[in-house]
Amino acid sequence: MKKQQKCYIYTRVSTSMQVDGYNLVAQKDELHKYADYQGMLIVGEYFDKDKSGKSVESRPQFQQILRDIETGKDNIDFRAICCC
């Protein structure tokens, strides 16, 4: 049996259009569906609300996910990052 890969998910919205349209809940739902389809186990969920996508320095949860990956906190296997 193939080992289930562990991953984190990260969501972010910054504008009222995103909040009303492709909001955090919708993003999280899509990421859960993708992880399930790929057979991945989500071991951490991170989100930033009202944070610009202009720079990663202004997103505290994004910085936290990078630290957690770097320190090997959950021994995640999947390290692709997709941001909106």
Side-chain angles (χ1 to χ4, degrees), residues 11-77:
T11 55
R12 179 192 63 81
V13 294
S14 63
T15 65
S16 60
M17 184 176 80
Q18 288 177 315
V19 171
D20 294 336
Y22 198 52
N23 61 38
L24 292 171
V25 174
Q27 290 177 44
K28 182 178 172 179
D29 184 54
E30 288 299 315
L31 289 170
H32 274 266
K33 287 178 187 175
Y34 180 78
D36 185 53
Y37 176 76
Q38 294 294 329
M40 292 185 229
L41 174 65
I42 297 170
V43 295
E45 298 183 13
Y46 303 77
F47 71 92
D48 283 313
K49 184 176 177 185
D50 302 324
K51 298 295 180 184
S52 171
K54 201 170 199 178
S55 91
V56 296
E57 287 79 23
S58 66
R59 297 187 256 160
Q61 286 295 290
F62 190 82
Q63 292 299 315
Q64 184 62 52
I65 199 172
L66 293 177
R67 284 190 299 273
D68 290 348
I69 291 168
E70 186 177 309
T71 63
K73 178 183 174 225
D74 295 298
N75 288 325
I76 64 165
D77 303 299

